[in-house]
Amino acid sequence: MATWRLLATTTVLAAALSACGGDSDNNDNPAPVDPPVVTPESISLQLLGRYKSGQFDASAAEITAYHAGTKRAFVVNAQKGAVDVLDLSDPANPVHADTLTTESIGEGTVVNSVAVHGDLVALAVEAPTKTDQGHLALYDADTLELISTTMVGAQPDMVTFTPNGQYVLLANEGEPSDDYSVDPEGSISVVDIIDPASPQENTADFTGFDDRKDELLAAGVRIYGPGASVAMDLEPEYIAVSADGGKAWVTLQENNALAIVDIAKAEVTNIVALGAKDHGEDGNGLDVSDDDGAINIVTWPGVKGLYLPDAIAAYPSGGATYLVTANEGDARAWGEDNAAYFGTEDAVPCDGDVTQGFVEEWRVKHLVHANGFDRRCGDDLPAHLRALAAGALLNPETFSYCGATAGDPGTCRDDEKLGRLNITWTEGYRTDEAGNPVMFNEQGLEDANGDRLMYDNLYAFGGRSFSIWDEQGALVWDSGDAIEQFLTGDECMLGSNRDIPCKDFFNSNHDEGSALESRSDNKGPEPEGLTIGQIGDKHFLFLGLERMGGILVYDITDPTTPIFQDYLNTREDWTTEDPSTVEAGDLGPEGLVFIPADQSPNEEALLIVGNEVSGTTAIYRVESKLAD
């Protein structure tokens, strides 16, 4: 039998021990007693409180941070371009206390990320034109006064401190302009803040890899932006830091890779390709259609999943460091609203303008239609794909299971099969040793004068999973199809009261009601944000599902055998067509922060989650189950 209880702070435990006579030699002046380490058997979540910004689907609650000294949460409100400061003195009833703006840094600047260490608050500030250089802004957590600013790379998207507080690190994503005419270099800023009033910025950039492009491509790093050097193409997304503050790991999301950084030297020491998972293997199935009227998680030979991780965190286990990634799967899609990129309707050949954007995402049914690409001209045909070929085929050996033959995709492109799945057209087709496409004719025969690509594999976006990697970037464990399988199970329930079957709203989108399977064709539940909390001797992962919503909890103490703990999804309304018209609860978790009990405003372990769609900040109580 086990007992559920809330973990108290170490000071409370120490006081209890002292009251029981902790020092038998001198009870009048007892010596300090180290409290015992209380390690739970398992944990679960309960909704404790919620702050409502009043803004729906406007990214009014994104990245979160917490300052123990003032009992305040800091929440990025992209709708304001600022940071909401919430008083959590009573975490069941969060109250808006103040707003941190960056108007003094520059008109039109916006905040992308926030972090707290000691009594410092760090903001990643994007320039009004995102391709221009951004700023790091440091504030006093008590007074909220601006201490200093320093220039960093273009589009700083994430900010974090090293554990000792000596450095602030920023992932400068450097996304291109919408028409891809400007593509700034991605980089990682390493800012020494020994003197917060006078930060010293150094840049870990990728220019040293510019002459190693072929090597990186051969290893599997995705470098494919039009006209981009390696440094321009790499886009840092999220940072994890080692416990000793010596090393950082940075997700290069669109590139499906990790950068490893020597912090003291401000140097990128390695770039590691993450590879792809095989959705043809048992345990790696997925539901690929949003239009078949049924949940159908099965394996699909020839379909690969690019991990393309967003959030990453590091934690120690067995004397080594391990990394956890949320395999969201973002694609490059620039110029989506520019008709010139997609050409003139019925133009043959399609006259889309490759200088007006870059879109890599397309459905299988459009890619391998027997009549070629031009049938989609003026609609959604990517200009860069049309510049490469006039059509595409499926390898009849790999895809024979859905009827593919030479020159004919068979039933593979049917909606209830692979047709609805969104994939990248930029890889998977057959190439020669130089990386150039091997061309085929309409009959499926190799032909130097042909105008068809031959896809041996199809690459989907995201792993629909979380993964654990070693510190060299080698895969240790992946959750496979466990998340989608769980969401179909009878034990999975939605709502703060856990009374709505998950399977009734499987793979729903987060901005509409009654959307069963609406994300099955595109990244599924979409794991995006995560954080790790230590309770006693155990490390627990809190993983946010961007589309389906909710927080998954795993015990990851042993990185080779994570153990499921809980799932809580506090979206309350799942049927109203427009959830902005009702009190729908929490939709679209983005940023998560764990508060240990000894730093908590109520002496209980808590989890703070910013929800970008509902614009709410949810406060969860972390309950621990202790073995008798």
Side-chain angles (χ1 to χ4, degrees):
M1 183 177 180
T3 303
W4 285 98
R5 69 183 70 173
L6 302 178
L7 290 184
T9 62
T10 54
T11 50
V12 172
L13 288 168
L17 287 170
S18 178
C20 294
D23 185 343
S24 59
D25 294 328
N26 185 357
N27 287 329
D28 293 330
N29 295 289
V33 176
D34 291 331
V37 175
V38 181
T39 299
E41 180 180 287
S42 61
I43 65 171
S44 65
L45 297 176
Q46 277 193 352
L47 179 65
L48 179 61
R50 177 187 290 132
Y51 170 75
K52 304 172 186 177
S53 70
Q55 299 291 325
F56 190 89
D57 206 13
S59 297
E62 293 189 331
I63 307 303
T64 57
Y66 175 73
H67 180 241
T70 58
K71 301 179 181 178
R72 290 170 174 164
F74 294 82
V75 183
V76 172
N77 185 328
Q79 186 269 336
K80 293 181 180 177
V83 172
D84 287 329
V85 183
L86 307 182
D87 182 350
L88 296 189
S89 298
D90 177 6
N93 297 284
V95 177
H96 187 273
D98 212 326
T99 301
L100 281 180
T101 65
T102 58
E103 294 174 355
S104 62
I105 298 173
E107 184 178 352
T109 56
V110 296
V111 181
N112 286 336
S113 184
V114 60
V116 171
H117 187 280
D119 291 326
L120 292 177
V121 180
L123 304 186
V125 182
E126 182 179 311
T129 300
K130 72 172 184 177
T131 54
D132 292 343
Q133 285 187 286
H135 288 84
L136 163 67
L138 294 176
Y139 292 79
D140 185 297
D142 293 308
T143 66
L144 302 182
E145 293 180 355
L146 179 64
I147 299 171
S148 63
T149 64
T150 189
M151 196 81 76
V152 296
Q155 198 185 16
D157 196 46
M158 187 267 184
V159 63
T160 190
F161 289 84
T162 56
N164 64 3
Q166 180 178 351
Y167 297 101
V168 174
L169 309 180
L170 299 98
N172 304 312
E173 189 166 10
E175 288 180 341
S177 58
D178 201 51
D179 63 0
Y180 237 104
S181 62
V182 180
D183 187 5
E185 293 180 354
S187 65
I188 299 97
S189 288
V190 180
V191 186
D192 189 322
I193 58 164
I194 289 292
D195 179 3
S198 182
Q200 302 299 311
E201 193 268 349
N202 287 290
T203 302
D205 62 30
F206 299 102
T207 56
F209 293 87
D210 280 342
D211 60 358
R212 297 172 58 183
K213 182 174 181 179
D214 290 344
E215 173 189 339
L216 294 172
L217 286 169
V221 179
R222 302 182 77 217
I223 303 171
Y224 59 104
S229 66
V230 171
M232 293 163 64
D233 201 69
L234 299 182
E235 296 183 2
E237 185 80 24
Y238 215 92
I239 305 171
V241 183
S242 62
D244 64 4
K247 186 183 291 188
W249 297 267
V250 184
T251 54
L252 309 173
Q253 184 170 27
E254 288 80 1
N255 312 103
N256 198 38
L258 285 179
I260 302 176
V261 179
D262 183 313
I263 294 174
K265 294 180 179 179
E267 178 184 350
V268 179
T269 60
N270 199 12
I271 297 172
V272 181
L274 297 179
K277 64 194 299 181
D278 187 348
H279 287 302
E281 292 183 355
D282 290 344
N284 281 344
L286 71 167
D287 188 312
V288 299
S289 177
D290 61 341
D291 199 35
D292 61 353
I295 299 171
N296 188 32
I297 303 171
V298 297
T299 55
W300 297 94
V303 177
K304 311 288 186 181
L306 297 168
Y307 293 102
L308 304 170
D310 188 329
I312 184 172
Y315 74 105
S317 178
T321 298
Y322 291 89
L323 313 169
V324 187
T325 59
N327 302 321
E328 179 192 19
D330 258 7
R332 279 186 173 147
W334 304 106
E336 287 180 292
D337 298 323
N338 189 344
Y341 180 72
F342 298 104
T344 306
E345 186 176 0
D346 297 328
V348 180
C350 193
D351 58 352
D353 187 346
V354 296
T355 69
Q356 297 298 308
F358 181 82
V359 177
E360 67 164 310
E361 191 173 24
W362 223 27
R363 293 195 192 276
V364 172
K365 65 186 298 182
H366 302 326
L367 182 72
V368 297
H369 194 283
N371 292 338
F373 297 153
D374 286 340
R375 57 187 292 274
R376 305 296 299 181
C377 187
D379 189 343
D380 60 357
L381 172 58
H384 290 89
L385 173 60
R386 184 59 183 89
L388 194 64
L393 309 168
L394 288 177
N395 184 327
E397 295 181 9
T398 305
F399 294 95
S400 60
Y401 66 90
C402 52
T405 60
D408 188 341
T411 61
C412 298
R413 59 178 302 277
D414 289 358
D415 285 351
E416 65 271 17
K417 294 189 179 176
L418 290 170
R420 298 287 296 174
L421 181 64
N422 281 294
I423 52 95
T424 177
W425 58 261
T426 64
E427 55 195 289
Y429 56 81
R430 195 172 306 171
T431 60
D432 60 23
E433 292 183 358
N436 300 311
V438 175
M439 303 308 294
F440 289 75
N441 59 31
E442 292 183 28
Q443 290 73 43
L445 300 175
E446 188 174 333
D447 182 350
N449 296 315
D451 60 3
R452 296 296 197 263
L453 303 172
M454 175 64 73
Y455 280 83
D456 298 317
N457 293 287
L458 300 171
Y459 284 84
F461 297 101
R464 308 193 183 193
S465 64
F466 72 92
S467 299
I468 300 179
W469 317 80
D470 68 19
E471 56 187 289
Q472 285 77 44
L475 184 64
V476 173
W477 187 88
D478 181 77
S479 63
D481 60 12
I483 294 177
E484 282 194 317
Q485 295 285 6
F486 171 74
L487 293 173
T488 69
D490 292 336
E491 69 277 15
C492 183
M493 303 297 282
L494 304 167
S496 55
N497 292 326
R498 303 177 190 256
D499 55 1
I500 305 169
C502 296
K503 60 187 177 183
D504 290 353
F505 301 97
F506 171 77
N507 276 355
S508 287
N509 207 350
H510 54 197
D511 56 1
E512 57 186 334
S514 296
L516 177 69
E517 284 201 296
S518 65
R519 294 297 297 183
S520 286
D521 61 323
N522 191 14
K523 297 179 278 189
E526 205 164 330
E528 180 182 20
L530 60 78
T531 192
I532 295 173
Q534 182 175 357
I535 304 177
D537 292 333
K538 291 186 176 182
H539 288 89
F540 294 95
L541 170 68
F542 302 90
L543 178 72
L545 304 181
E546 181 183 7
R547 299 292 175 163
M548 183 70 184
I551 310 299
L552 280 164
V553 187
Y554 278 79
D555 178 350
I556 57 170
T557 307
D558 181 348
T560 65
T561 55
I563 303 170
F564 173 81
Q565 303 288 294
D566 194 21
Y567 173 66
L568 181 59
N569 188 325
T570 48
R571 176 178 177 177
E572 311 298 347
D573 185 295
W574 290 81
T575 57
T576 301
E577 182 177 354
D578 181 0
S580 69
T581 62
V582 295
E583 293 290 338
D586 302 302
L587 291 79
E590 173 94 359
L592 302 83
V593 62
F594 172 79
I595 305 175
D598 60 0
Q599 298 177 30
S600 167
N602 66 351
E603 301 183 343
E604 300 172 358
L606 301 175
L607 182 72
I608 304 175
V609 180
N611 298 280
E612 63 172 335
V613 176
S614 57
T616 56
T617 302
I619 316 299
Y620 297 103
R621 174 189 288 125
V622 181
E623 293 196 336
S624 293
K625 182 180 182 181
L626 305 179
D628 289 341

